[in-house]
Amino acid sequence: MSTSSRHRTPRLSPQETAVLVAYLSGLTMDASARRVGVGVGTAKQYLERVKRKYAAAGRPAYTKLDLARCAVEDGLLTWTERPAPQVR
């Protein structure tokens, strides 16, 4: 992961990144843990570590939306907007 002039990017382990991306992609915590092959408690620990690492980098991420913003900024996810449904 690269360091941008705008913000510091924390070093996430492969497991932390995998759980983060699965969780932010819309999976539940249980499904994210299963996808990565760890227990739910371990997946929660990984996300807590990710939050601590972002806070230490000066980019606190308290909520799922905060984590998503950071992941998009760091190139871990892409943010695509979908058109609003048409009202008839």
Side-chain angles (χ1 to χ4, degrees):
M1 292 178 207
S2 65
T3 302
S4 167
S5 60
R6 290 186 355 226
H7 61 267
R8 291 181 29 212
T9 301
R11 283 191 192 259
L12 304 181
S13 74
Q15 290 291 80
E16 290 166 346
T17 301
V19 169
L20 177 65
V21 170
Y23 182 61
L24 295 178
S25 296
L27 296 179
T28 63
M29 184 61 69
D30 289 348
S32 298
R34 279 194 306 275
R35 174 167 288 176
V36 177
V38 298
V40 175
T42 301
K44 287 180 181 179
Q45 287 177 351
Y46 287 153
L47 281 181
E48 287 305 314
R49 276 194 233 158
V50 168
K51 289 178 181 180
R52 284 195 303 270
K53 288 179 179 185
Y54 273 111
R59 299 167 62 201
Y62 303 111
T63 66
K64 191 173 187 177
L65 186 58
D66 292 337
L67 285 170
R69 177 188 40 77
C70 290
V72 168
E73 289 173 352
D74 294 345
L76 299 174
L77 291 176
T78 58
W79 192 280
T80 56
E81 291 187 40
R82 296 184 183 168
Q86 294 182 351
V87 178
R88 295 181 187 208

